[in-house]
Amino acid sequence: MRYHKIANETIRRLPIYLRGMLFLSEQNRKTISSQNLADIVGINSWQIRKDFSYFGDFGKPGVGYIVEKLIRHIKKILKLDKEHKTALIGVGNLGRALLAYPGFGPYGFNIVAAFDNDPAKIGKKIENINVEDVSRLPALSKRKVDLAIIAVPRDAAQEVADVLVEAGVKGILKFSPHHIEVPKKIKVISIDIATDLARLPYYMSA
Amino acid sequence: MRYHKIANETIRRLPIYLRGMLFLSEQNRKTISSQNLADIVGINSWQIRKDFSYFGDFGKPGVGYIVEKLIRHIKKILKLDKEHKTALIGVGNLGRALLAYPGFGPYGFNIVAAFDNDPAKIGKKIENINVEDVSRLPALSKRKVDLAIIAVPRDAAQEVADVLVEAGVKGILKFSPHHIEVPKKIKVISIDIATDLARLPYYMSA
DNA sequence: GCATGTGAAAATCTTCACAGCA
DNA sequence: TGCTGTGAAGATTTTCACATGC
């Protein structure tokens, strides 16, 4: 292994590899070759090897990669090896789907708090999480929450983000399509279904 | 304008620009400069100008871009200028959130059918859409549906995709994290919240 | 004078081909 | 023999700087 600046694109792919490895682990596979993993995740084998080569000698020539070891290794790189307490803001349709989503666990994400501004929802329990008033957001700083998922309407996103940053949140995943302004040290990732969907027709053969 | 192969990354950004332009249109803005648009969408102005330059002379030097004209132009490039009938497969939490999602309209996406395999859901009406039995999927070919959104559990995704391809669907948006195998001419886009979220901790300053 | 459009340079990312180890 | 790890080549994408048009 040499020193390399790690490509951004590599970081984007690591969670995909991790997903594949977790699947293999469920099935009690012990080792996997880059070619096998390529078939599972839909990424070329040489791309996989190149990506891994940034981080050290993961695999054994002639054998492949050891599933459990690779999982631990990728988790460590992505800093997923310890729990991340996560707050959800906005308990609408999407918010409820997120609370019910079982896929966060294996990555160490744990939704520990949910907030809304609708009095009809505040105080209710959804999926075992108590819905709190958004006015209580600033108190998050005391609760070791470092990550937040924003699932509120467009116009409220910036305001919510400001409070979250103030409360010490380090990373934000948002579903509102608008760009929000945050300090440079805060990382924001956006998911917008319509924006992704909008690429499809371009690639669809008539 | 010259002939250029259009960069994939450019196509990825076009829906983001479109989103910004639609927002401006709502506010009755007539023209916009690349710098102004940059502030709204969070992408550099030179990147925006470069992207647009692939398609022809969109703007007027000294003035900027004409909002309505640019919207029409981008929609045309992305083939969003006509309606895309869309089917939803899987009416769980996520599926219901998608049916209630108001953001598809401006892009010309219209969910015209929903399917599930749960007898308790079949026949129910959700958000004005009748939930049909998945066994009726093959009949989609007669209904001019060219796009499908798969929101079913992991293990069912490949099977559903196979039927959809058979039924003539040209593009698939899926939420199941697994890679699925489809003919090359079918375009598949995946959204996986956990995979996106998993990148955050890496970038979060301790 | 203001803002676009674009060659050219720089940076980044992917692909290849194969040396070398188990 | 099978499969990794990686330098080097190739392709793509971003960034810059400025000529050009309104």
Side-chain angles (χ1 to χ4, degrees), chain B residues 92-136:
Chain B
N93 277 303
L94 175 61
R96 278 195 300 275
L98 290 169
L99 284 172
Y101 180 59
F104 291 135
Y107 295 88
F109 300 120
N110 188 6
I111 299 183
V112 297
F115 299 86
D116 207 296
N117 64 357
D118 179 353
K121 287 174 188 160
I122 295 164
K124 289 251 169 66
K125 249 192 153 66
I126 300 178
E127 304 284 336
N128 261 322
I129 302 283
N130 206 35
V131 179
E132 308 175 42
D133 191 311
V134 282
S135 67
R136 294 197 40 183

Side-chain angles (χ1 to χ4, degrees), chain A residues 154 178, chain B residues 17-32 37 40 65-72 75 106:
Chain A
R154 179 176 80 184
H178 256 67
Chain B
Y17 302 146
L18 179 55
R19 172 73 80 178
M21 301 305 289
L22 288 170
F23 174 71
L24 288 164
S25 175
E26 274 176 39
Q27 311 198 329
N28 292 311
R29 277 289 295 271
K30 297 304 176 211
T31 62
I32 180 103
L37 184 56
I40 292 174
Y65 302 92
I66 296 168
V67 174
E68 294 305 325
K69 193 173 146 196
L70 189 51
I71 289 175
R72 278 202 308 280
K75 280 192 176 175

Side-chain angles (χ1 to χ4, degrees), chain A residues 45-91:
Chain A
S45 62
W46 60 78
Q47 180 75 80
I48 292 175
R49 292 201 302 279
K50 184 65 144 186
D51 284 338
F52 288 172
S53 77
Y54 288 131
F55 301 103
D57 298 357
F58 279 23
K60 286 200 203 328
V63 178
Y65 301 92
I66 296 168
V67 174
E68 295 304 325
K69 192 173 144 196
L70 189 50
I71 289 174
R72 276 201 309 280
H73 217 134
I74 297 179
K75 279 191 177 176
K76 193 161 183 183
I77 294 163
L78 293 174
K79 299 188 194 163
L80 300 176
D81 53 347
K82 50 182 183 301
E83 185 188 59
H84 289 277
K85 290 198 188 353
T86 307
L88 171 72
I89 299 91
V91 189

Side-chain angles (χ1 to χ4, degrees), chain A residues 13 16-17 34 37-39 41-45 47-48 51, chain B residues 179:
Chain A
R13 283 186 294 266
I16 300 173
Y17 302 147
S34 57
L37 184 55
D39 294 339
V41 299
I43 294 175
N44 293 318
S45 62
Q47 180 75 80
I48 292 175
D51 284 338
Chain B
H179 174 69

Side-chain angles (χ1 to χ4, degrees), chain A residues 8 19 40 154 179 192 203, chain B residues 8 19 40 179 192 203:
Chain A
N8 256 303
R19 171 75 82 177
I40 292 174
R154 179 176 80 184
H179 175 67
D192 180 20
Y203 292 104
Chain B
N8 256 303
R19 172 73 80 178
I40 292 174
H179 174 69
D192 180 20
Y203 291 105

Side-chain angles (χ1 to χ4, degrees), chain A residues 97-110:
Chain A
L98 290 169
L99 283 173
Y101 180 60
F104 292 135
Y107 294 88
F109 300 120
N110 188 6

Side-chain angles (χ1 to χ4, degrees), chain B residues 5-186:
Chain B
K5 189 182 169 300
I6 294 146
N8 256 303
E9 291 299 304
T10 296
I11 295 299
R12 204 175 48 71
R13 283 186 295 265
L14 283 183
I16 299 172
Y17 302 146
L18 179 55
R19 172 73 80 178
M21 301 305 289
L22 288 170
F23 174 71
L24 288 164
S25 175
E26 274 176 39
Q27 311 198 329
N28 292 311
R29 277 289 295 271
K30 297 304 176 211
T31 62
I32 180 103
S33 70
S34 58
Q35 185 52 60
N36 283 177
L37 184 56
D39 294 338
I40 292 174
V41 300
I43 294 174
N44 293 318
S45 61
W46 61 77
Q47 181 75 80
I48 293 175
R49 292 201 302 279
K50 185 64 145 185
D51 284 339
F52 288 171
S53 78
Y54 288 131
F55 301 104
D57 298 357
F58 279 23
K60 286 201 205 325
V63 179
Y65 302 92
I66 296 168
V67 174
E68 294 305 325
K69 193 173 146 196
L70 189 51
I71 289 175
R72 278 202 308 280
H73 217 134
I74 297 179
K75 280 192 176 175
K76 193 162 184 183
I77 293 163
L78 293 173
K79 297 188 193 163
L80 300 177
D81 52 347
K82 50 182 185 297
E83 186 189 58
H84 289 276
K85 288 196 188 355
T86 306
L88 171 72
I89 299 90
V91 189
N93 277 303
L94 175 61
R96 278 195 300 275
L98 290 169
L99 284 172
Y101 180 59
F104 291 135
Y107 295 88
F109 300 120
N110 188 6
I111 299 183
V112 297
F115 299 86
D116 207 296
N117 64 357
D118 179 353
K121 287 174 188 160
I122 295 164
K124 289 251 169 66
K125 249 192 153 66
I126 300 178
E127 304 284 336
N128 261 322
I129 302 283
N130 206 35
V131 179
E132 308 175 42
D133 191 311
V134 282
S135 67
R136 294 197 40 183
L137 271 178
L140 271 185
S141 47
K142 297 192 191 90
R143 291 157 75 179
K144 306 220 172 182
V145 168
D146 64 352
L147 233 153
I149 301 176
I150 301 183
V152 303
R154 179 176 81 184
D155 295 335
Q158 178 69 60
E159 195 183 343
V160 168
D162 291 344
V163 180
L164 286 170
V165 169
E166 196 60 37
V169 162
K170 302 287 199 309
I172 292 174
L173 177 72
K174 72 180 175 67
F175 288 87
S176 46
H178 256 68
H179 174 69
I180 59 174
E181 215 52 63
V182 295
K184 257 202 296 297
K185 54 182 298 194
I186 310 293

